[in-house]
Amino acid sequence: MALKQQIEGDIKQAMLQKKKEELTALRAIKSAILLAETEKGSGGELDETAELKLLAKQAKQRKDSLEIYTKEGRDDLAQKERFEMDVINRYLPQQLTEEEIGKRLEVIIKETGASGPQDMGKVMGRATKEMSGQADGKLISQLVKSLLAS
């Protein structure tokens, strides 16, 4: 089932169960999908990769906002962002652990023949494509740097 239909079904369930906060979060996700579908050059429907990329972006925005609100002592807003991030994470694939990412990166480095920091672009391109939606790009970048430096 496409993500959009799954979210629409979940919106109906949230309405029936009168879950106001969840309904707000689900509507925000649906809105982001509709905006992406109606953008110029998008072609109307989003494929699974584009949907995952969109959800990952939404989750990252919530995470960044959460950090800012927590730092500023706005626990009410931080709690809202945390809840929305949790709702978005339900639709994302299981996130890889740092250890799993490291193992995959070692394989990619061997396969690409990367030997030092100058080959970071080669490794990053392939790694971000293979682990799209499963790992944070910033974490991948840090691990690639440390693996290529050693």
Side-chain angles (χ1 to χ4, degrees), residues 45-103:
E45 284 287 315
L46 295 178
D47 63 348
E48 188 177 340
T49 308
E51 289 175 341
L52 289 177
K53 203 177 262 187
L54 179 73
L55 283 179
K57 181 180 177 184
Q58 292 289 313
K60 185 175 182 338
Q61 286 175 347
R62 299 307 188 286
K63 183 179 178 186
D64 293 344
S65 297
L66 174 64
E67 289 172 6
I68 291 169
Y69 292 144
T70 304
K71 193 185 302 177
E72 297 297 321
R74 295 295 309 266
D75 293 331
D76 56 330
L77 294 174
Q79 187 176 0
K80 179 181 179 274
E81 293 296 326
R82 185 177 294 113
F83 181 80
E84 288 186 10
M85 189 172 69
D86 290 343
V87 171
I88 292 168
N89 285 334
R90 283 190 229 156
Y91 301 98
L92 286 171
Q94 182 68 35
Q95 295 292 299
L96 298 172
T97 64
E98 196 168 323
E99 185 179 313
E100 291 170 328
I101 296 169
K103 287 178 184 175

